[in-house]
Amino acid sequence: MSDKNPLIQPDRGQKAVAIHLVDKDGLDAFLKERTAAQRAALEAHKFSADAGEHAIVPDGDGWIVVAGVARTGELSSWCLAKLADALPAGTYRCHGAEPGRAMFGWITGQYSFDRYRSDPSEEGPRVLLTAEAGKIDAITAEAEAVELVRDLVNTPAEDMGPGQLEAEAESLAKAYRAEIHVTRTDMLEREFPMVHAVGRAAGRSHAPRMIELEWGDPRHPRIAIVGKGVCFDSGGLDIKPSSGMLLMKKDMGGAAHALALARLIMDAKLPVRLHLLVPAVENAVSANSFRPGDVLRSRAGISVEIGNTDAEGRLILGDALARAGEKEPELIIDFATLTGAARVALGPDLPALFAREDATAQALLDGGLASDDPCWRLPLHEGYREMLKSDVADINNAGTGGFAGACTAALFLDRFVPKGVDWAHLDTFAWRPSAKPGRPKGGDALGLRASWNMLRQRYGK
């Protein structure tokens, strides 16, 4: 993919501005090697080698960049991200070092969502050179997958409804020669009744559907990737306040993660049999909205009493997880912007991770740390299952008591995954409420790289 993304290029000795990376331990030694004019410039900038700090100083007839990092010997994904946004357009190389995984932040630091701007920025790119040409494609693929999530989540619901999610899946199927199957209308009501019930109140242009994509050699291990595709969530008849609706274009963030992960899997030709499932709906308000107190049947045959129509994501995921389990995969991973409780517990940066198998949970945690995409495990605590009891059905979709909301939501999903299947659930935010280097405010991928790293370790050639 490096030929498609010009921001990282092989170093063939072309002309470039040098970036000198300095940490606090090495600052004194670095200053001793500089000219008097350079030391004076750094003093004028009050440069102290804090991480993220930089200064442009003269160097003969040109100039160099001096950049502070936490540790020069261990660059993170975000060490150069601020530079990628702040430096003038041009070509750069790290002096005496290779950027390594910091190439990722160099790319994502230049991301912008300009689809609706009448005068998008025309500033030229900042290009980074590396002698490690063999790493470019893999890092670029990850960065472009993250940017896909951002684009999908940032797009308003009118332009990112169930039909647009279907179009994204069709585009993937065409690009990677995958099989795609979409279930709609009466067939949807028969085969995925909870998906239909949640989405039936939406207008025709945003009609609900189940999107499935299959790819890979059937002889390879089967895995399923499931993503919650609520393209807008009004809350249904248990309607949200206006403040709660403001960001609900991002409620299809789980689907965005699933689509991006599927692209990474297929682009890398990972030796798996992939089954991607995206239940796509809009949770709207209409005369035929599903109601509090209704009892829905599900694909799995489990009856569900509706305690709250704003707990709709778990309903559509229940049907999708049941469908995924019918194919007998050895692993299911689902992504969902599922609960506010996860955000109260962990804040916006950390997806809540639930997993049946300790080894799978640890692999995802390790994958997150290795890729600067951390997750945090929460328990599938058996004692909380009683919070989902119903007086009239097999299960209630809204936990009682107001406690452990992320845990009870995960336990609800657990009912629809066949016993014995290795399953992990990521309750992700898919949104960046304030900008950080390489991570602008808006839609973002949280848990995507952790999952991809884990899958590469488990199934890589």
Side-chain angles (χ1 to χ4, degrees), residues 419-430:
K419 292 181 180 179
V421 175
D422 189 2
W423 166 64
H425 160 59
L426 287 102
D427 189 336
T428 186
F429 194 39

Side-chain angles (χ1 to χ4, degrees), residues 179-225:
E179 304 166 11
I180 189 167
H181 178 73
V182 181
T183 307
R184 307 180 187 84
T185 60
D186 292 345
M187 188 68 73
L188 182 73
E189 185 175 8
R190 289 193 295 272
E191 295 193 0
F192 301 98
M194 291 200 297
V195 177
H196 177 268
V198 172
R200 72 192 185 199
R204 179 179 295 181
S205 62
H206 283 191
R209 64 206 70 195
M210 174 65 79
I211 304 161
E212 296 182 73
L213 178 150
E214 291 202 70
W215 171 90
D217 190 333
R219 296 172 295 182
H220 289 157
R222 174 176 282 275
I223 66 171
I225 307 297

